Amino acid sequence: MSDVSLPSPPEARTAVVIPAAGRGVRLGPGAPKALRALNGTPMLIHAVRAMAASRAVSLVVVVAPPDGTAEVKTLLDAHALPERTDFVVVPGGDSRQESVKYGLDALPPDIDIVLVHDAARPLVPVDTVDAVIEAVRDGAPAVVPALPLADTVKEVEPAAVAGEPEPVVATPERARLRAVQTPQGFDRETLLRAHETVTDDVTDDASMAEQLGVRVVVVPGHEEAFKVTRPLDLVLAEAVLARRRLNDGF
């Protein structure tokens, strides 16, 4: 028996794609949603820092509004970001799906794991990011962080006129439902295949993997990974940041 040990296989390299080309109309008029300030810092910068906080992430690709690429590059240059992580900015498309595809096209060939993260979820704890990456490393082709629902959910027949009463069709069993968050993690080849195959308009990348018949698994999400969509969410995000500053002592 030889005493020479075989070299361990190289660890899978992870990149994050952050589609940030949307306007965010529900937050009202003004800058694109990802560029709105939280505690004086653009939401996008908070989201980028949240992803780069994971030591497993070696590259973050930000997909910017087509007419805002230079502005986003300037933003990234102006804020302190981890030196161990590379950052790339590419122009986005007309839809979230198209923007994610442009982000995937920018990945170097040595990336094995890809996370897709909403810029509008700026406060995701690093433990959630790491849990998603670890699940993909352990063999899951598609992973989503999610939380159990606090509210009972009703399926309804949508009203023909907004604001009209809507008849209830069913009450799904709440224990089997989860509210899905990001970052969602994928084996690179799985995500590429999904974007090359699925043309339906979907709300998240895991749905595309599901349409391929790929097994998607859930890991625990976090209450601070909420999506900033409405003005009230901005208030909540500011409160979370204030609590973090208090707890961190600065």
Side-chain angles (χ1 to χ4, degrees), residues 23-107:
R23 301 299 305 181
V25 292
R26 279 175 288 181
L27 278 176
K33 179 164 58 174
L35 304 186
R36 300 292 180 93
L38 283 180
N39 191 35
T41 300
M43 196 174 352
L44 174 61
I45 297 299
H46 287 287
V48 168
R49 285 174 173 166
M51 297 299 101
S54 171
R55 293 188 172 274
V57 172
S58 57
L59 170 67
V60 175
V61 178
V62 178
V63 188
D67 59 351
T69 305
E71 181 183 1
V72 171
K73 286 180 179 177
T74 300
L75 272 181
L76 293 180
D77 291 339
H79 291 84
L81 300 170
E83 293 184 2
R84 66 174 181 272
T85 309
D86 293 327
F87 301 93
V88 174
V89 180
V90 299
D94 294 331
S95 67
R96 181 187 185 279
Q97 204 165 330
E98 191 175 18
S99 291
V100 172
K101 180 62 168 62
Y102 289 161
L104 294 176
D105 290 343
L107 298 179

Side-chain angles (χ1 to χ4, degrees), residues 14-19 46-54 56-57 59-61 96 100 113-136 140-147 179-187 191 203-207 216-227 244:
T14 300
V16 182
V17 174
I18 302 181
H46 287 287
V48 168
R49 285 174 173 166
M51 297 299 101
S54 171
V57 172
L59 170 67
V60 175
V61 178
R96 181 187 185 279
V100 172
I113 295 171
V114 183
L115 307 188
V116 181
H117 182 60
D118 293 333
R121 296 183 189 271
L123 304 178
V124 180
V126 68
D127 288 351
T128 302
V129 182
D130 287 339
V132 171
I133 295 171
E134 192 63 33
V136 180
V143 180
V144 295
L147 292 176
V180 172
Q181 302 175 327
T182 70
Q184 299 184 355
F186 305 87
D187 168 79
L191 187 56
T203 55
D204 72 345
D205 295 89
S207 299
V216 180
V217 301
V218 167
V219 297
H222 196 280
E223 61 183 7
E224 292 180 2
F226 62 90
K227 192 172 187 178
R244 288 183 180 181

Side-chain angles (χ1 to χ4, degrees), residues 71 92 106 122 140 175 234 248:
E71 181 183 1
L234 286 169
D248 292 342

